[in-house]
Amino acid sequence: MSSEYYFILAAALFCIGLAVIITKKNAVMVLMGVELVLNAANINFVAVNKNNLVSLDGQFFALFVIVMAAAEAAVGLAIILKLFKYYKTTELDKINQLKG
Amino acid sequence: MQEKLTAITGSMGYFLPEIAIVISLVLLLIAGLFNAGRLNKLYQVLALAFLAVTMVLVVGQWQEVGDLVRPLPLFNNMVQLTSVSVFWKMICVLGAFITVAMGFGNQDFKDKSSEYYLLAFGVLLGAHLLVMANNLLTIYLSIELLSITAYILTSFSFNAASKEAAVKYLLFGAAASGVMLFGMSWLYALTGTLTIDDVQFLDGLIKANALPFTLAAIMTLAGLLYKISAAPMHIWAPDVYTAAPTPVAAYFSIVPKLAGIGILMKWMMVINLFGSSPVNWTIVLATIAMISIGIGNFSALWQNNVKRLLAYSSIAHSGFLVAGLVAYSETAYKAILFYSAIYLLMNMAAFLFVNHAEKEWGYTKVEDYKGLINVQPLLGVALVIVMIALTGLPPTGGFTGKFLIFSALWDSYVESGNDWSLYLLIFGLMNTVIALFYYLKLPYYIIFKNAEQKPQKQLIFSLQNFIGFFLVVMILLSFFKPDSLMRIINSVSFAF
């Protein structure tokens, strides 16, 4: 299978992720959108590296991204948990103390 | 295999400051296990000592790279040691030193202080790696290291507002770095390599189609602009600066921002593709710079909160730093280095005094500063000088910095006939006048208004005020005698 299909899949996933980030009002849903975007990039990296037998740069990049996504999700969920303690909601529209 | 291992062990000798940062991070983590509540001061002293060691190592590196003509590749070219990167590292360590000297402000959560200093070291490590990065993977990882630690630091006020700022910072930052990563994956697809100064990388980009290259480069640029809080990726900055603890806001306005400028300088050299890029990047950058300067200055006009005002001012300052990139010449790059050094001095001084006023007297609004000059003449005068420097008026270093950037823009207009440099120059000059209105609001309240109730006279001698006054003297000195700083910057070489 040519790499083209992978790129189309990745681009679609990226667009879905970005749409989720922009439209969803819930902080946790936005984080899920971010995960989709990161995985879209991962598919690209692995697909490009598919036929390259000399270096494994792309594969390694994908592994690093997975680890970073986990770290980001951990910190993100911790902050959202604390936010919930103060505001009793994770709806981003209702969290608007800071303005100006 | 053998070669690669020798390359790694051989690189260790040039990696000492970063190793020192990691070791001090671990030591602070261990020290934090012992009765954190009461040892608050000890952690600060420890952190300052570690930073001093790091500074000594970085200065040692500066002497080492002095006679380096070509950049020194480390760890199989994952990072690169150049005199520029060592200069940025000096600035970052200095910024971290002043931040740590400001201390851990929160009296109710003293047991969290070791974590606070530890996270500050995390940000510093990210900044060090970012300015040395020579590989897309290193750029991504160091930006994430900077960001993730910064999200946690933002929430260190432990109140509702700081959590809100942290979540905004987090969601916005995660989205920006995701977009950057997708852009990087395209660049990898176009070139087949991750090393950004590789011949294969540049060759691949030159041969690539214009549209995918432009999209990928702009997406990657988005992540970098987010780090330097330039428009259109600046939206997080005012909220984060307002709600985060003041030392953290000071830290964010210096270290991640200047490290971002450091990598942006390199990145612009790469995607310019020796002038054969399908996009005219000077137009893109000039637009970004104009929007940043404009948004920063105009929004600051309505601000009442001092920290929010400084946040908008820092957005405008990133605009001026990006303006240096528009000129795109060696003089311009040197002007950026000079401006950054001065920016470190004046912004840190401003935050030091604001932090003091907030902690001792509870001042947060501009009106609170009424008649400060009658009560604390020394502090009042110092703040006035800092505000004049931030505006960019003589006799302060802020003027010299802006002057160098503007003259670099003028040179680029005269030499290469780049119209955008001229537009940007005119726009920047006009905005300096607008900036007068809000920067001088604080001096106006300090000098010409009389306080209704005066805060009792207090001794203002503390470590942080001492550093603040020292910085003010440096700001004045950098106007009258900029030669020593210039000499340092002139020995920087931009070989690529």
Side-chain angles (χ1 to χ4, degrees):
Chain A
M1 198 159 70
S2 84
S3 303
E4 223 173 275
Y5 298 110
Y6 294 105
F7 295 149
I8 293 169
L9 173 68
L13 210 53
F14 176 76
C15 293
I16 295 169
L18 214 53
V20 168
I21 291 173
I22 294 167
T23 55
K24 290 290 173 187
K25 300 256 180 339
N26 194 311
V28 181
M29 290 302 276
V30 177
L31 268 188
M32 286 165 72
V34 171
E35 295 295 311
L36 284 183
V37 170
L38 294 181
N39 282 319
N42 273 353
I43 291 175
N44 265 351
F45 278 119
V46 177
V48 174
N49 212 210
K50 189 172 56 121
N51 301 322
N52 190 340
L53 298 173
V54 188
S55 83
L56 289 172
D57 284 355
Q59 314 267 4
F60 279 124
F61 207 130
L63 283 176
F64 273 108
V65 173
I66 291 167
V67 174
M68 268 299 170
E72 206 161 56
V75 170
L77 289 175
I79 291 175
I80 291 173
L81 206 64
K82 280 286 174 192
L83 186 82
F84 187 78
K85 206 184 102 190
Y86 286 105
Y87 290 88
K88 300 286 171 233
T89 177
T90 50
E91 298 287 314
L92 294 171
D93 287 357
K94 290 176 187 143
I95 302 165
N96 49 7
Q97 202 179 356
L98 294 163
K99 272 185 213 138
Chain B
M1 196 63 195
Q2 187 68 41
E3 272 170 49
K4 285 195 172 171
L5 285 177
T6 8
I8 289 172
T9 44
S11 305
M12 283 303 202
Y14 297 98
F15 210 55
L16 289 177
E18 289 72 28
I19 294 174
I21 293 173
V22 174
I23 290 175
S24 31
L25 208 152
V26 174
L27 287 180
L28 273 174
L29 185 67
I30 296 169
L33 298 174
F34 302 103
N35 198 355
R38 252 176 284 148
L39 296 177
N40 184 13
K41 270 274 174 284
L42 174 76
Y43 298 138
Q44 188 183 4
V45 173
L46 265 182
L48 283 176
F50 290 144
L51 281 171
V53 172
T54 315
M55 192 66 195
V56 169
L57 289 172
V58 175
V59 171
Q61 232 174 19
W62 174 257
Q63 276 145 3
E64 254 172 65
V65 296
D67 35 42
L68 215 63
V69 187
R70 305 256 333 133
L72 187 70
L74 301 179
F75 300 108
N76 299 318
N77 220 350
M78 288 298 275
V79 292
Q80 229 178 26
L81 193 68
T82 57
S83 39
V84 193
S85 62
V86 179
F87 182 85
W88 288 119
K89 284 200 266 183
M90 288 201 277
I91 287 194
C92 290
V93 178
L94 209 58
F97 191 87
I98 299 169
T99 312
V100 171
M102 278 195 228
F104 181 67
N106 208 319
Q107 295 300 316
D108 303 331
F109 292 88
K110 271 191 176 163
D111 55 324
K112 305 274 196 304
S113 63
S114 77
E115 279 134 68
Y116 172 79
Y117 296 124
L118 188 154
L119 289 167
F121 274 90
V123 174
L124 185 65
L125 181 65
H128 271 211
L129 291 175
L130 187 58
V131 292
M132 291 200 297
N134 193 37
N135 187 300
L136 292 179
L137 179 57
T138 327
I139 295 177
Y140 174 69
L141 286 180
S142 41
I143 282 191
E144 286 291 281
L145 179 56
L146 264 177
S147 312
I148 292 180
T149 40
Y151 305 147
I152 311 173
L153 273 180
T154 310
S155 66
F156 256 74
S157 295
F158 302 107
N159 56 22
S162 84
K163 299 297 174 203
E164 181 187 341
V167 89
K168 281 179 180 169
Y169 195 13
L170 168 93
L171 295 178
F172 203 72
S177 66
V179 171
M180 181 183 73
L181 187 69
F182 195 73
M184 283 179 176
S185 76
W186 275 21
L187 290 175
Y188 182 56
L190 292 172
T191 60
T193 175
L194 292 171
T195 315
I196 57 175
D197 71 342
D198 203 73
V199 182
Q200 196 191 341
F201 190 82
L202 296 168
D203 220 33
L205 289 185
I206 290 171
K207 285 194 191 116
N209 280 330
L211 184 65
F213 164 69
T214 314
L215 276 178
I218 286 180
M219 281 198 274
T220 314
L221 205 57
L224 301 178
L225 289 180
Y226 155 79
K227 269 288 58 128
I228 66 166
S229 71
M233 315 293 284
H234 66 279
I235 312 162
W236 57 273
D239 287 350
V240 168
Y241 282 42
T242 318
T246 316
V248 171
Y251 200 36
F252 287 173
S253 74
I254 302 290
V255 172
K257 175 171 286 188
L258 294 183
I261 288 282
I263 191 67
L264 204 58
M265 276 162 69
K266 197 170 188 176
W267 184 240
M268 283 336 282
M269 285 203 261
V270 172
I271 59 173
N272 214 32
L273 304 176
F274 309 115
S276 62
S277 155
V279 193
N280 190 348
W281 290 109
T282 46
I283 297 178
V284 177
L285 282 180
T287 323
I288 290 166
M290 279 189 203
I291 302 174
S292 304
I293 296 171
I295 286 182
N297 282 338
F298 280 103
S299 313
L301 284 176
W302 326 120
Q303 295 312 321
N304 221 352
N305 185 315
V306 181
K307 272 155 82 182
R308 218 177 171 81
L309 195 147
L310 284 173
Y312 281 111
S313 117
S314 94
I315 295 171
H317 280 291
S318 349
F320 282 112
L321 286 166
V322 174
L325 290 173
V326 174
Y328 195 69
S329 63
E330 193 158 332
T331 5
Y333 275 28
K334 282 183 177 158
I336 294 177
L337 294 189
F338 189 88
Y339 196 92
S340 309
I342 301 292
Y343 175 69
L344 166 82
L345 298 179
M346 52 195 191
N347 223 28
M348 273 297 176
F351 272 109
L352 276 165
F353 295 131
V354 168
N355 185 37
H356 179 82
E358 189 184 324
K359 240 197 307 195
E360 301 291 326
W361 310 314
Y363 290 3
T364 51
K365 293 205 161 56
V366 177
E367 287 92 37
D368 293 339
Y369 285 81
K370 264 183 199 166
L372 186 68
I373 198 138
N374 303 321
V375 195
Q376 298 286 4
L378 203 56
L379 203 69
V381 169
L383 248 176
V384 171
I385 294 173
V386 171
M387 286 296 150
I388 290 173
L390 282 168
T391 327
L393 293 178
T396 58
F399 172 76
T400 323
K402 278 214 173 64
F403 177 74
L404 286 174
I405 294 261
F406 284 148
S407 57
L409 278 174
W410 177 251
D411 284 349
S412 111
Y413 169 66
V414 171
E415 275 163 29
S416 58
N418 186 351
D419 288 340
W420 282 89
S421 298
L422 185 67
Y423 303 151
L424 189 56
L425 175 63
I426 295 166
F427 191 79
L429 282 175
M430 270 161 39
N431 264 278
T432 311
V433 180
I434 295 164
L436 266 177
F437 285 105
Y438 69 90
Y439 280 130
L440 294 189
K441 201 151 98 183
L442 204 57
Y444 172 72
Y445 275 100
I446 289 174
I447 298 173
F448 295 111
K449 291 265 184 164
N450 281 323
E452 287 136 17
Q453 72 228 38
K454 291 177 182 173
Q456 65 275 41
K457 283 204 178 186
Q458 272 172 333
L459 281 180
I460 51 166
F461 296 107
S462 62
L463 174 66
Q464 46 164 314
N465 278 339
F466 177 72
I467 296 176
F469 290 125
F470 178 70
L471 290 181
V472 170
V473 173
M474 291 295 282
I475 292 168
L476 292 174
L477 263 184
S478 58
F479 176 74
F480 292 108
K481 282 189 85 61
D483 0 350
S484 52
L485 183 55
M486 276 318 238
R487 208 176 314 121
I488 295 175
I489 288 167
N490 275 330
S491 60
V492 166
S493 81
F494 292 94
F496 174 62

